[in-house]
Amino acid sequence: MESLYQPAGVEQRWQRTWEEEGLYAAGAGRRRGETYVIAVPPPNVTGELHMGHALNGAIQDVLIRWHRMQGFDTLWQPGYDHAGIATQNVVEKQLAVEGLSRHEIGRERFVERTWEWLEQTGRTILGQFRRLGASLDYSRERFTMDPEYVRAVMTFFVRLWEHGWIYRDNRIVNWCPFHQTAISDLEVVHEEMDDTLYRVRYPFADGDGAIAVATVRPATILADVAVAVHPEDERYREAIGREVVVPYVERHVPVIADERVDPSFGTGALKITPGHDPTDFEIGRAHGLPEPMAIGPDGRMNENAGDLEGLSQDEAGERVLAWLRERDQLEAREPYRHSVGTCERCHSRIEPLISLQWWCRMEGPARPAIAALRERRVRYHPESQHRFAIQSLEEAPDWCISRQLWWGHQLPIWYTPDGEPVCALTEAEAQAQAGAGVELTRDPDVLDTWFSSALWPFATLGWPADAPEVARYYPGNVNSTAREIIRLWENRMIWSGLELLGDVPFTDVIIHSTVLAPDGRRMSKSLGTGIDPMEPIEQHGADATRYGLLKISSTQDVRFSIGAIEEGRKLANKLWNVARLILQNAERVTPAVSPRRLEERWILARIDAARGEAEECWGRFDFAAATSVLYHVTFDDFCDWYAEAIKPRLYDRDVDAVATALAALERLITLLHPVLPHVTEEIWSHLPNRRDRLIVSPWLEPDDRFAADSEALVRAQEAAQIFRRSGVRVELEGDERRIFDAVVRPERTKANGNVEAELERLRGEVARARRMLDNEGFVANAPAHVVEAEREKLARYLRELEALGGADAA
RNA sequence: GGGCGGUUAGCUCAGCUGGUAGAGCGCCUGCCUUACACGCAGGUGGCCGCAGGUUCGAGUCCUGCACCGCCCACCA
């Protein structure tokens, strides 16, 4: 055994062994009936591991390993999401390099290309999860495009259809001009942009005066259908009901009143363009206005733009502005910084436009999900996210589920020659519904990626087939994910599970911390602030990286800190070395829990207490607090006190001491295994007479044989500290004396404090304790145990003062 | 504009139902001790963001303010 623990080789060896021996598989280590199930948030097939994945992987793996050791039938379900728009984006970019577009090669060939690409370069992330030591059941890898999974998606759609929750409507949507598809509000990211705000005069049709409006997009003037003002706005009271002339197109449109207009913005008058603005669309619908569009799906001016047809919006805007300037209708222009919606994948500016899409109503599905959350059948951790989840379900707008993409699940909708939609699981069934001989055409659209993700907890188990896994592993226990995913995924899994299986898919949702860059900014590729988790894994080991990420995960947003990972590496190294100390002296000795001496009972009790504390932390999903418990029991208690105290007997090959030390070590690494699986398994493999792997070995049961008679040990520790600080020996007897002598080696301890300084310190403590005890309010009101503790402290300080010969102060 | 979170040692962060401030790193001092120098022992270091309030007692509870961050949002 090397004196410096080298994680790289050890970790990869164990990762291979565990997987090959089937110890990652569901049911490995099972010794009881209950199941414990987590479905991993399926990463995009195109994705690579980022810090959030690594933290989330560590969190879930701790829970899974902890429960596996407790004998649960654990299933940690892995797999990939086909990630419709993200994947299509990647393949389209590749085609672009070859000078091709998807339209040139056609849909069929494009889908083939995508599959080919996935076979070659996709699916890298589960390899990275393996390197983290994540004990997913890789033999059960699923993909949202697997044939069985597709069947689940179709079944889901048909069920929603039968409820009447799916409808088709012409509404304003977020249109990505690059991808040529509608995207949901949740796929739009807002970015700050510098624009110009123009103030444009619209003359009244009767020639008497004008009304000014503000706009950043002059090209949309062509599609104006009204000017709106706030009903209470005194300035425009007279204008309501009159007509104005829209510039350039010289169309007469009404001035209307609507409360959605903010009188304090710009001129207080808003031009209404229902075709190209969501607010205007709402106002237009409320007032029964027409909905013309002047901009097409490609982002350029369309056939309604007259002589501007075919121009870009910027060019068209310039022409309109020139027209306005000629007629002196351009009142002002000013720089204007505001946030603009962009496509989260390609960052193209979103075109709001009206388009015919499929929608899913939300009132029906949301109702039981809201009830389940209110009844705490699903709990969010931290609690603050619970209200947010409920609120977002209550306010959920209808879900636009169709996408004009090629990569994804094509809608199970066919049209008759009359344009009547027929919904069915398969083409054959659709044909049967429509009647023989009726020619059907399938809707070309695909479903929003999240439509299939919503089924992840049970489609991966084989639903809608009558699979035994569904009965056994549904519902699961925990889902752990990032905050921004609550509305996209968590809520939808909850309502789909209730709808299709009559039960929530899990009982606890962990919303883990967001790992920020060390400077506090968001980690992102475009900002150059991203840190690849594989770097610390290579450099310090997976155990250390897991430990470090868990340690910093206490608050909502945490800064990445390499220091925390280094601490994890030190812990692994420490563990490794204390194991060497014991094992080097343990030839042919069998571990045996036979504590005779104080320090032996003490350490076994300490490990047991730490077990309780760590379990309590994990039980409430406080992984940061648990790491602290593990660190201190290892360093402070096991290494600095217990190992030092038994060293002399270890060197003497005292069989009792060695056997107990082996047993204590065994218990310590069992406790640490969920967080540091590799180094603990490696040490375990060196313990004598080991048959099972640690990963499937029984978890620690509470053991009250070890009376926590720690008083004497604490006194020895205090005496050691005084001696090391001041060189003064406190009187000790029995166990206290023996432990002190074993741990403190006077010949190597140079006191660098001095008696005077120590007396000074103790006098201060005595004064402070007396001040408190003299406070009548404190003695009368504070809880009895607090007062009692203060009395004991005072007594101890006085004792120590006396030992140091400074009793005069008392 | 809304929601959530943060502000404590030089840095990164703990501090549960109020009891008189802790950890890791860094720094200083002494140690190459038959597990570990990625180590051991000891130490330095804090008007706990600001201002009020409740209380015998406030980092902790209440009110207000100021910054910072994340998420969300249709102000043209």
Side-chain angles (χ1 to χ4, degrees):
Chain A
M1 289 173 86
E2 300 286 328
S3 67
L4 182 61
Y5 176 61
Q6 307 276 10
V10 172
E11 291 183 343
Q12 283 169 287
R13 179 157 47 79
W14 282 113
Q15 286 156 9
R16 267 197 310 276
T17 306
W18 286 326
E19 194 174 344
E20 282 168 12
E21 293 182 355
L23 303 178
Y24 281 166
R30 172 182 169 188
R31 288 179 300 276
R32 60 210 277 187
E34 301 110 294
T35 58
Y36 189 81
V37 181
I38 302 177
V40 85
N44 290 356
V45 266
T46 57
E48 285 188 20
L49 198 76
H50 61 236
M51 223 37 102
H53 289 129
L55 170 59
N56 202 198
I59 285 172
Q60 295 169 77
D61 197 44
V62 165
L63 293 173
I64 287 289
R65 286 181 186 267
W66 175 37
H67 282 87
R68 185 187 289 120
M69 292 172 87
Q70 288 180 81
F72 283 84
D73 178 356
T74 54
L75 168 58
W76 189 12
Q77 173 66 50
Y80 288 106
D81 191 285
H82 68 283
I85 194 166
T87 307
Q88 177 156 329
N89 201 28
V90 169
V91 179
E92 280 198 76
K93 274 187 186 162
Q94 254 192 351
L95 286 175
V97 171
E98 300 168 29
L100 291 168
S101 78
R102 66 169 156 133
H103 300 284
E104 287 171 76
I105 65 172
R107 182 167 187 156
E108 199 176 326
R109 179 72 195 114
F110 180 82
V111 172
E112 274 173 32
R113 272 286 298 237
T114 306
W115 279 107
E116 285 164 18
W117 182 82
L118 289 181
E119 292 311 318
Q120 291 158 17
T121 25
R123 306 180 188 232
T124 55
I125 203 166
L126 285 184
Q128 297 174 306
F129 266 106
R130 285 179 169 91
R131 188 61 192 82
L132 223 208
S135 59
L136 290 141
D137 184 353
Y138 297 97
S139 67
R140 287 175 189 262
E141 180 182 318
R142 296 286 183 273
F143 183 40
T144 53
M145 293 287 276
D146 288 341
E148 303 77 22
Y149 204 108
V150 173
R151 194 176 151 70
V153 173
M154 298 301 132
T155 307
F156 181 38
F157 188 96
V158 170
R159 175 73 81 93
L160 298 177
W161 177 273
E162 285 166 353
H163 275 302
W165 289 344
I166 287 182
Y167 65 96
R168 200 178 187 211
D169 192 16
N170 248 316
R171 288 170 46 177
I172 195 146
V173 297
N174 304 297
W175 186 266
C176 171
F178 174 77
H179 290 109
Q180 294 275 301
T181 179
I183 60 177
S184 78
D185 290 346
L186 303 176
E187 291 164 313
V188 175
V189 291
H190 288 81
E191 290 173 8
E192 289 279 305
M193 284 184 135
D194 289 309
D195 262 320
T196 308
L197 186 65
Y198 301 96
R199 209 148 73 201
V200 178
R201 200 153 44 223
Y202 284 42
F204 285 111
D206 56 18
D208 181 14
I211 192 165
V213 302
T215 183
V216 290
R217 301 174 68 199
T220 64
I221 287 175
L222 302 189
D224 282 354
V225 298
V227 168
V229 297
H230 192 91
E232 307 294 316
D233 195 332
E234 293 297 336
R235 293 171 294 176
Y236 298 117
R237 182 141 294 173
E238 299 305 314
I240 297 168
R242 292 174 72 184
E243 290 201 323
V244 293
V245 183
V246 176
Y248 202 86
V249 291
E250 307 199 286
R251 191 164 54 227
H252 290 201
V253 302
V255 176
I256 60 172
D258 194 288
E259 289 180 342
R260 277 163 278 218
V261 179
D262 176 1
S264 66
F265 186 88
T267 63
L270 174 64
K271 71 186 203 62
I272 299 299
T273 320
H276 299 298
D277 183 277
T279 308
D280 295 8
F281 178 80
E282 274 183 36
I283 295 176
R285 282 261 159 127
H287 293 262
L289 297 172
E291 297 167 353
M293 290 193 290
I295 298 163
D298 55 358
R300 305 181 80 84
M301 305 309 289
N302 70 6
E303 66 281 4
N304 299 329
D307 62 332
L308 302 183
E309 181 178 355
L311 296 185
S312 74
Q313 285 182 63
D314 284 349
E315 291 163 344
E318 284 306 320
R319 299 275 282 270
V320 171
L321 290 171
W323 188 96
L324 288 168
R325 244 171 289 174
E326 266 169 40
R327 287 159 185 77
D328 202 24
Q329 282 178 230
L330 185 58
E331 267 189 8
R333 49 180 301 166
E334 55 192 69
Y336 183 57
R337 189 168 175 80
H338 64 147
S339 74
V340 173
T342 65
C343 172
E344 70 169 345
R345 291 294 156 200
C346 65
H347 297 275
S348 307
R349 198 164 170 152
I350 291 303
E351 286 304 333
L353 49 79
I354 296 171
S355 125
L356 189 58
Q357 302 286 345
W358 288 98
W359 304 79
C360 177
R361 284 183 222 288
M362 286 306 298
E363 313 91 84
R367 207 173 307 121
I370 292 167
L373 284 166
R374 289 232 172 90
E375 292 159 16
R376 307 276 152 163
R377 286 155 61 202
V378 178
R379 291 163 200 268
Y380 272 82
H381 309 272
E383 172 74 24
S384 57
Q385 300 303 325
H386 201 88
R387 253 177 307 140
F388 173 75
I390 293 177
Q391 194 187 330
S392 62
L393 271 166
E394 288 170 341
E395 293 168 0
D398 284 358
W399 178 13
C400 178
I401 53 174
S402 50
R403 297 287 182 277
Q404 290 66 53
L405 300 173
W406 287 352
W407 175 244
H409 303 101
Q410 200 169 344
L411 272 69
I413 297 273
W414 286 263
Y415 299 101
T416 66
D418 305 337
E420 267 310 300
V422 176
C423 174
L425 270 183
T426 62
E427 181 151 16
E429 286 176 36
Q431 193 67 63
Q433 273 186 47
V438 177
E439 197 179 319
L440 293 178
T441 327
R442 187 162 188 179
D443 191 311
D445 288 357
V446 301
L447 289 158
D448 177 10
T449 294
W450 295 100
F451 191 90
S452 53
S453 315
L455 311 178
W456 187 248
F458 42 91
T460 49
L461 299 175
W463 184 91
D466 189 18
E469 280 89 347
V470 179
R472 177 150 190 83
Y473 296 116
Y474 191 91
N477 299 75
V478 165
N479 196 268
S480 180
T481 191
R483 201 159 53 247
E484 65 267 23
I485 305 301
I486 292 175
R487 299 188 307 171
L488 288 163
W489 196 42
E490 299 298 330
N491 284 168
R492 289 166 181 167
M493 282 190 288
I494 293 170
W495 70 253
S496 73
L498 285 164
E499 167 62 27
L500 299 169
L501 288 121
D503 204 348
V504 293
F506 33 72
T507 53
D508 295 276
V509 180
I510 300 171
I511 301 301
H512 67 246
S513 312
T514 304
V515 184
L516 305 174
D519 63 5
R521 288 186 298 166
R522 190 172 171 69
M523 274 203 190
S524 96
K525 269 187 201 161
S526 53
L527 288 173
T529 51
I531 296 174
D532 182 353
M534 298 315 281
E535 285 176 22
I537 288 175
E538 294 310 324
Q539 200 181 344
H540 303 292
D543 283 343
T545 303
R546 296 159 60 104
Y547 174 94
L549 289 173
L550 292 170
K551 155 142 187 168
I552 64 171
S553 69
S554 54
T555 45
Q556 180 169 291
D557 305 297
V558 294
R559 296 179 183 207
F560 178 78
S561 147
I562 195 69
I565 291 173
E566 285 164 356
E567 186 179 314
R569 185 190 56 184
K570 281 172 51 177
L571 179 59
N573 187 244
K574 191 73 177 173
L575 206 55
W576 173 251
N577 276 294
V578 81
R580 286 176 62 223
L581 167 69
I582 294 168
L583 289 166
Q584 279 170 1
N585 296 290
E587 286 161 44
R588 286 188 295 280
V589 177
T590 305
V593 182
S594 53
R596 297 225 168 89
R597 311 246 175 161
L598 168 64
E599 62 272 30
E600 292 170 338
R601 290 198 308 279
W602 174 79
I603 192 61
L604 288 165
R606 279 298 304 134
I607 292 170
D608 195 48
R611 188 216 85 249
E613 289 163 28
E615 290 196 305
E616 192 268 327
C617 295
W618 288 333
R620 48 170 228 269
F621 308 113
D622 186 347
F623 301 94
T627 59
S628 173
V629 170
L630 302 182
Y631 183 90
H632 290 291
V633 73
T634 306
F635 263 84
D636 303 351
D637 299 331
F638 198 92
C639 296
D640 295 347
W641 278 95
Y642 171 67
E644 292 300 332
I646 60 164
K647 243 184 202 176
R649 290 164 65 215
L650 241 32
Y651 293 151
D652 292 345
R653 306 282 166 119
D654 176 317
V655 174
D656 279 354
V658 173
T660 309
L662 284 169
L665 176 64
E666 191 179 295
R667 295 177 78 82
L668 180 69
I669 62 176
T670 300
L671 172 59
L672 294 178
H673 181 262
V675 172
L676 305 174
H678 308 91
V679 68
T680 51
E681 184 77 84
E682 176 68 12
I683 294 169
W684 185 265
S685 72
H686 287 87
L687 291 174
N689 305 325
R690 286 273 71 94
R691 261 169 288 139
D692 290 342
R693 301 293 185 204
L694 178 55
I695 183 176
V696 287
S697 287
W699 183 243
L700 295 167
E701 293 301 326
D703 195 329
D704 50 18
R705 274 178 302 167
F706 323 129
D709 175 22
S710 57
E711 271 296 299
L713 200 122
V714 169
R715 273 199 294 280
Q717 291 180 339
E718 282 165 6
Q721 202 185 19
I722 287 172
F723 176 76
R724 284 161 172 163
R725 208 148 51 188
S726 66
V728 173
R729 281 174 175 274
V730 176
E731 283 303 313
L732 295 172
E733 290 176 353
D735 280 339
E736 298 170 28
R737 162 98 272 150
R738 188 174 50 72
I739 292 171
F740 179 93
D741 287 343
V743 172
V744 180
R745 276 165 284 186
E747 74 279 7
R748 300 199 194 91
T749 303
K750 273 192 198 161
N752 63 343
N754 60 60
V755 181
E756 268 316 308
E758 186 65 10
L759 284 171
E760 185 76 27
R761 192 185 66 85
L762 283 168
R763 284 186 191 119
E765 295 284 8
V766 167
R768 193 191 54 74
R770 282 196 167 143
R771 217 179 307 124
M772 284 190 67
L773 290 165
D774 287 346
N775 179 342
E776 289 169 24
F778 171 71
V779 178
N781 299 310
H785 70 274
V786 175
V787 178
E788 193 45 42
E790 207 54 46
R791 287 218 171 86
E792 280 170 17
K793 264 193 256 176
L794 178 59
R796 203 182 77 216
Y797 296 141
L798 289 171
R799 248 192 349 259
E800 288 174 10
L801 263 179
E802 196 174 345
L804 285 163
D808 54 313

